[in-house]
Amino acid sequence: MAAPCPEDPSLERHFKGHRDAVTCVDFSFNTKQLASGSMDSCLMVWHMKPQSRAYRFVGHKDAVTCVNFSPSGHLLASGSRDKTVRIWVPNVKGESTVFRAHTATVRSVHFCSDGQSLVTASDDKTVKVWSTHRQKFLFSLSQHINWVRCAKFSPDGRLIVSASDDKTVKLWDKTSRECVHSYCEHGSFVTYVDFHPSGTCIAAASMDNTVKVWDVRTHRLLQHYQLHSAAVNALSFHPSGNYLVTASSDSTLKILDLMEGRLLYTLHGHQGPATTVAFSRTGEYFASGGSDEQVMVWKSNFDVVDYGEIIKVQRPPTMLASSSGNLPEVDFPIPPGRGRSQESVQSQPQEPISMPQTLTSTLEHIVGQLDVLTQTVSILEQRLTLTEDKLKQCLENQQLIMQRTTP
């Protein structure tokens, strides 16, 4: 049977509720929720199910600059210009714990794939790693000489990549805490960076209007795109690894075909700068935000591969060298069905599944509930600490009053 023809991306829906520019967006793992942060100091959690009411979380004292769901989807981290990070339980109660993470604006928060640690980046020029539960400080990475805009864990959690206003992208080894390499090819501030789903490449966006892709094993520049007419503010890899979406101050989103090394689509939707963009975990949707205060959800359409199957693949994907024009060769994974017949995919031996799907789902649910329970304990501990502090203050005030009234 012939594969259906891919369609153009389409605007699925848009959310209005923020009162200032949208700065960040992120989907939960099951794509049921979409979180967004704004200069209005609020965090919104939108429900993808039609007719569902959104949650507005209030707690930060200044602009919310970054959001990220935990791998289980049961926790949501946010960073702010108020120098704090909050960990929320994304339900109707909107409870959170808060900790002062940096001495300046927090620009980026990102959970490790195991959900056990969190990396943050800040205008104080540092990258810090924390334990998710009880938010214990673990270590700091301090070689940047200007604001750090973004920091991300690699898919396997062994590496960290950071992007800075010092015009560099730095690759760090999480275990040794050493800087493995500095990429210095950008001509201006580097606004965003992320790992390819395979973990073998990184892509960075910059105020020099370009996007660059490097191999983290050889540190070779693989691809260079100069397609936007203004700063590139954010980017996101499709889970298949074949596509990259970018958001720019020129008000457009662009979708790049990394296999062919070419521009696929330019999307016009935002009035003013497009500030943020992110694919859902399956790649079926992507969301964008802008200075127009809107959050837009787009249906990808352009990849006809079964999205669910991309996530389920356990073995390393097949690699293919491709080049385009004068671009250097680059290795990217091909999902089943692209560049080869479906029959050849089906004839390949499948790795055995280690446990039944129902058991896996049950275990994932238990892990998610443990996340919530642990976070609830942290919330109660913070409240207890605040109560103790207030009681101490009351006792001290009472003692002072008694001293003054005693003849």
Side-chain angles (χ1 to χ4, degrees), residues 41 68 126 149 168 186 291 329 338 347 355 383 389 400:
S41 307
N68 186 231
T126 68
R149 299 257 180 177
T168 71
H186 277 296
S291 60
E329 289 191 346
R338 174 158 182 171
S347 65
M355 62 180 71
R383 286 181 178 173
D389 290 344
L400 283 170

Side-chain angles (χ1 to χ4, degrees), residues 79-292:
S80 169
R81 205 157 60 183
D82 66 10
K83 307 173 188 176
T84 70
V85 168
R86 285 182 176 265
I87 309 290
W88 310 80
V89 178
N91 58 24
V92 68
K93 291 182 180 179
E95 295 179 314
S96 69
T97 53
V98 59
F99 62 102
R100 187 182 169 97
H102 290 272
T103 57
T105 297
V106 181
R107 293 283 176 186
S108 176
V109 288
H110 186 237
F111 283 99
C112 192
S113 56
D114 63 6
Q116 298 303 303
S117 51
L118 187 75
V119 63
T120 60
S122 168
D123 286 0
D124 65 11
K125 307 175 189 176
T126 68
V127 174
K128 292 184 180 180
V129 177
W130 313 78
S131 65
T132 300
H133 305 303
R134 300 175 191 266
Q135 293 88 57
K136 180 184 175 184
F137 172 72
L138 299 178
F139 60 89
S140 183
L141 306 172
S142 311
Q143 287 190 28
H144 282 293
I145 58 173
N146 207 336
W147 295 357
V148 188
R149 299 257 180 177
C150 185
K152 296 287 183 78
F153 285 109
S154 60
D156 63 8
R158 295 179 182 180
L159 299 171
I160 294 170
V161 67
S162 57
S164 169
D165 280 8
D166 64 13
K167 305 180 186 178
T168 71
V169 172
K170 292 187 184 294
L171 189 67
W172 311 82
D173 184 288
K174 184 186 171 188
T175 304
S176 68
R177 305 176 191 178
E178 295 292 327
C179 180
V180 177
H181 192 79
S182 290
Y183 304 90
C184 307
E185 285 90 340
H186 277 296
S188 187
F189 301 161
V190 189
T191 54
Y192 202 89
V193 68
D194 203 1
F195 279 92
H196 185 273
S198 68
T200 61
C201 307
I202 54 172
S206 171
M207 286 191 181
D208 64 11
N209 306 357
T210 70
V211 171
K212 297 182 190 294
V213 181
W214 291 276
D215 189 314
V216 298
R217 300 159 298 185
T218 64
H219 309 307
R220 189 163 60 102
L221 178 65
L222 299 176
Q223 293 187 343
H224 165 91
Y225 296 94
Q226 190 155 8
L227 300 167
H228 287 287
S229 59
V232 187
N233 299 314
L235 53 79
S236 179
F237 281 103
H238 187 276
S240 69
N242 290 336
Y243 306 100
L244 187 73
V245 62
T246 59
S248 170
S249 292
D250 66 12
S251 81
T252 69
L253 308 176
K254 289 184 186 286
I255 295 166
L256 313 178
D257 184 331
L258 298 174
M259 301 300 296
E260 303 292 338
R262 66 187 178 93
L263 175 66
L264 270 186
Y265 301 103
T266 296
L267 304 176
H268 299 267
H270 290 284
Q271 303 297 313
T275 53
T276 180
V277 68
F279 272 111
S280 66
R281 300 304 197 268
T282 60
E284 187 177 1
Y285 298 98
F286 58 97
S288 62
S291 60
D292 57 6

Side-chain angles (χ1 to χ4, degrees), residues 388-401:
E388 287 175 350
D389 290 344
K390 286 180 181 177
L391 284 171
K392 285 178 184 176
Q393 188 66 45
C394 286
L395 286 169
E396 287 171 3
N397 290 341
Q398 195 170 10
Q399 287 172 354
L400 283 170
I401 291 168

Side-chain angles (χ1 to χ4, degrees), residues 13-17 34 46-48 293-297:
R13 56 196 301 196
H14 64 277
F15 297 110
K16 292 182 178 180
L34 171 65
W46 314 91
H47 296 275
M48 293 295 286
E293 306 175 9
Q294 292 198 68
V295 174
M296 297 184 177
V297 177

